[in-house]
Amino acid sequence: MERKHENPIIRSIYTADPAPMVYGDTLYLYTTHDEDEIIDDFYTMFDWRCFSTKNMVDWTDHGKIFSLDDIDWAEARAWAPQAIERNGKFYLYCPVQKNGGGIAIAVGIADNPTGPFKDLGHPLVDEGDWNDIDPTVYLDDDGQAYLYFGNPELRYVRLNEDMVSYDKETGVVRIPMTEESFNKGSHDTGTSYGEGPWFYKRNGLYYMVYAAFAVDEHDEHLAYSTSESPTGPWKYGGVLMTTEGGVFTNHPGIAEFKGHNYLFYHTGQLPDGGMYHRSVCVAEFDYNEDGSIDTIPKCDGVTEI
Ligand code: FUB
């Protein structure tokens, strides 16, 4: 009989900012963790979690795999991470608040996808402003890895082969925030691009999926843009998921796993859920022949593969 996993995927704790990584026959899902007890009516997040599945129905909880306690130079905001494997090592890119203030991107390094991750010892990206959040990493076929990030602007660095430093000559590149690239919207740049970028390539086309603000809309929806090159110019593609789920934020993560395409996102639909008590969900989707993606309908879960 067909088995189904109903959304939200994780029900034991509040999770957000899903970042899937396929390695071997397993999909690893890295998430942030909204604490039960909310401090100062704001995001209360101290550690990163990992879950895994081989069939999209049975999930294993690997617990806390990296935390603010592991990063001497950071004091708060264990926000949206993304992981990647290169040459047998696993890298987890994580925005954090530095001791004394300011956001930067940390890197955890491990020999296994489930950690334990060890801090690099210093920030990888530290532009000194609030834009340094929500890193997304992609290793291109030619061996060049890119780390995009940003709110309200989209920026990137070209990672060096060691994955823990970047090409300082090119530096931090600011993507032009135009309506052609990201549609007209209500975020600070005047476009819809908000935060939570997810960067990848499929059939030679580069995709940037992100949380977006429509004109006169204060809750995030998910949208995407595409490019012929890893560094743009980006062309707005459309809405991937309308505003839903009863929370102000949403945050995409895309994975192709065993011939199926998945969009991971978050809502506030667990009991006592809401803005600071979010829950990770998943929807299956298909690409059109030309690589475009239709808006993904509301989804109550996915079936076993
Ligand atoms: O979870 C904290 C922040 O909220 C993330 O960094 C954003 O993407 C939004 O989901």
Side-chain angles (χ1 to χ4, degrees):
M1 203 181 79
E2 193 173 72
R3 292 198 305 149
K4 187 165 181 170
H5 194 299
E6 287 182 9
N7 281 324
I9 303 172
I10 315 300
R11 289 158 186 267
S12 49
I13 55 171
Y14 296 110
T15 56
D17 306 317
M21 181 190 74
V22 175
Y23 186 70
D25 66 350
T26 304
L27 184 145
Y28 294 90
L29 184 63
Y30 301 87
T31 74
T32 52
H33 172 207
D34 287 335
E35 295 288 335
D36 287 355
E37 193 185 329
I38 299 168
I39 301 170
D40 292 338
D41 197 27
F42 194 60
Y43 299 106
T44 307
M45 303 164 75
F46 305 134
D47 55 40
W48 295 273
R49 301 295 177 121
C50 184
F51 305 84
S52 70
T53 184
K54 289 183 191 301
N55 60 12
M56 296 303 288
V57 167
D58 302 302
W59 287 88
T60 303
D61 183 349
H62 300 283
K64 182 194 301 189
I65 43 102
F66 197 36
S67 100
L68 292 176
D69 290 341
D70 302 320
I71 309 173
D72 289 349
W73 52 272
E75 63 180 7
R77 298 185 197 191
W79 282 8
Q82 190 176 337
I84 194 169
E85 180 269 346
R86 187 171 195 178
N87 297 332
K89 290 264 184 217
F90 296 84
Y91 301 91
L92 188 67
Y93 299 90
C94 305
V96 291
Q97 179 176 305
K98 294 179 291 178
N99 296 338
I103 303 291
I105 298 175
V107 193
I109 305 155
D111 293 324
N112 295 292
T114 54
F117 285 85
K118 195 171 173 306
D119 175 42
L120 172 64
H122 55 85
L124 167 64
V125 176
D126 184 3
E127 285 287 273
D129 68 27
W130 277 80
N131 206 76
D132 293 353
I133 67 164
D134 294 358
T136 176
V137 61
Y138 180 71
L139 175 58
D140 211 344
D141 305 331
D142 62 0
Q144 178 62 59
Y146 299 86
L147 190 82
Y148 271 90
F149 52 93
N151 174 350
E153 284 177 23
L154 188 59
R155 299 177 184 172
Y156 75 85
V157 293
R158 295 162 65 92
L159 289 174
N160 294 329
E161 205 176 330
D162 62 12
M163 300 299 274
V164 296
S165 63
Y166 66 87
D167 171 5
K168 290 275 166 50
E169 219 164 277
T170 308
V172 176
V173 181
R174 298 176 177 215
I175 294 291
M177 303 304 291
T178 65
E179 288 179 20
E180 293 73 34
S181 294
F182 303 109
N183 202 18
K184 192 174 166 59
S186 61
H187 206 37
D188 297 0
T189 61
T191 74
S192 79
Y193 174 84
E195 56 183 354
W198 187 272
F199 178 47
Y200 66 105
K201 180 162 83 169
R202 179 183 176 271
N203 292 346
L205 188 64
Y206 294 88
Y207 289 77
M208 190 68 68
V209 178
Y210 47 91
F213 295 91
V215 174
D216 294 332
E217 180 60 71
H218 300 295
D219 288 348
E220 291 175 339
H221 65 274
L222 301 182
Y224 78 100
S225 302
T226 58
S227 174
E228 306 282 325
S229 122
T231 55
W234 292 96
K235 185 171 178 294
Y236 180 69
V239 171
L240 209 60
M241 175 172 274
T242 54
T243 299
E244 66 171 277
V247 276
F248 146 69
T249 61
N250 198 346
H251 190 109
I254 301 281
E256 185 181 342
F257 184 48
K258 299 184 177 172
H260 297 253
N261 294 297
Y262 295 102
L263 165 69
F264 292 84
Y265 59 104
H266 66 228
T267 66
Q269 69 192 82
L270 278 182
D272 291 326
M275 192 151 153
Y276 307 124
H277 276 166
R278 298 164 292 176
S279 43
V280 165
C281 296
V282 63
E284 190 171 349
F285 71 97
D286 285 319
Y287 293 86
N288 296 318
E289 201 64 24
D290 64 357
S292 62
I293 314 171
D294 295 331
T295 303
I296 299 168
K298 285 200 189 318
C299 170
D300 59 5
V302 296
T303 50
E304 183 177 17
I305 56 173

